[in-house]
Amino acid sequence: MKKKLFIDQEHLQNIVNQYPTPFHLYDEHGIRENARKVKQAFSWNKGFKEYFAVKATPNPVLMKILREEGCGVDCSSLTELMLSDKVGFSGHEIMFSSNATPPEDFQLARKLGAIINLDDITHVDFLERVAGIPETICCRYNPGGEFKISTSIMDKPGDAKYGMTRPQIAEAYKMLMAKGAKYFGIHAFLASNTVTNDYYPTLAALLFQTAVELKQETGADIRFINLSGGIGIPYRPEQEPNDILAIGEGVRKAYEEILVPAGMGDVAIFTELGRFMLGPYGCLVTTAIHEKHIYKEYIGLDACAANLMRPAMYGAYHHITVMGKEDAPCDHKYDITGSLCENNDKFAIDRMLPKIEIGDLVVLHDTGAHGFSMGYNYNGKLRSAEILLREDGSAEMIRRAERPEDYFATLDVTEFF
Ligand SMILES: *Cc1c(COP(=O)(O)O)cnc(C)c1O
């Protein structure tokens, strides 16, 4: 399938005249439409809630849009909690996914009334000591071994640092009950960026079965099952997009087959999607500023891996559109690079594209999640602005670009600043 951007050349050029490249651009219309579809897909479940994974795109304006669409937030750090609090999320609108979590983070999560998702059995005592045991609590499950959908291996939970073993989670429920917890949830995140409609239904069946057994073994009152994140997006043109309605229907079937007969037909389904909520509705807008002809052909952009780390870190594919050349033949082979002193700072390698001229707008698709947020300051590079394309077509800056004084701010302890 041909990948199409959510904005055309003329409109984008107008925005670039106002805000210089590079910047991440987000599409309010796409975000809202998709959030509504997710809600619709799980509308069969009375307690359903999507807790947007803040780490994917921690911008308060985008979080507010998702809140208006009925989403909560999933946080895993002090600052993510603070940000969520600022936007107005509170109580059970916040999921707090812990792992090697410091005491202050647990304390703020408790203060905000967030649902805490405990990663380990040793954290039961830790939480009791630093913040107290809440009435409602969730435990993260790691089934170990390999996670398969029919015969294909999706991931290896046995090698992952997260979650409790099966005997541990039963023990943790009992310990928590003894310490006053009343209502329970179970959570697992077993594969990332899955581009198959079978991931959630397979995971759901596993968690539903485990929940039924845990209820029998421990007597715990299980109120929700958290399917977490992991639904992917088609970064590549040849990939078939997930059908969220089919995914919701697959989860419903498992629910009817496993939970309802066990008398657990009022259990709420939660999700913590990040990538699926925002990934396709953001792009990185850059300008071609250099060309280089050595053993290969290079185009140098005004953005670098500090603005979008996924290609350098995972060799991830991000589709590229050269604005105004959408229908031109892709008859030039380029490496598209940034300016870091680091040879993996390449957004694309041997990519067939139309001929690129200096000054062309070069847009990287699907940077709406795990894009800006994975940015860093290596080589003294500064983080870019974030711009929101509103539903009425206007553009609004929702984060300014870093300035050198931001980069130097923490050096105020020295004599030089
Ligand atoms: C990262 C993360 C998510 C979101 O993952 P996506 O792949 O963006 O859907 C959800 N829950 C937890 C606990 C996470 O760590």
Side-chain angles (χ1 to χ4, degrees), residues 346-387:
K346 294 180 177 179
F347 291 115
I349 296 172
D350 295 334
R351 184 75 59 89
M352 295 306 295
L353 290 166
K355 182 168 173 36
I356 297 175
E357 312 286 344
I358 300 302
D360 278 352
L361 289 176
V362 175
V363 178
L364 292 123
H365 290 233
D366 301 317
T367 70
H370 311 294
F372 177 92
S373 63
M374 290 177 83
Y376 56 108
N377 284 121
Y378 193 51
N379 257 179
K381 292 292 177 181
L382 303 176
R383 289 180 176 79
S384 78
E386 293 182 290
I387 311 288

Side-chain angles (χ1 to χ4, degrees), residues 53 55 74 97 140 187 189 192 228-230 272-275 370:
K55 73 161 189 265
D74 170 46
S97 295
R140 186 163 182 166
H187 167 284
F189 188 168
S192 194
S228 189
E272 294 171 346
L273 300 170
R275 195 185 313 272
H370 311 294

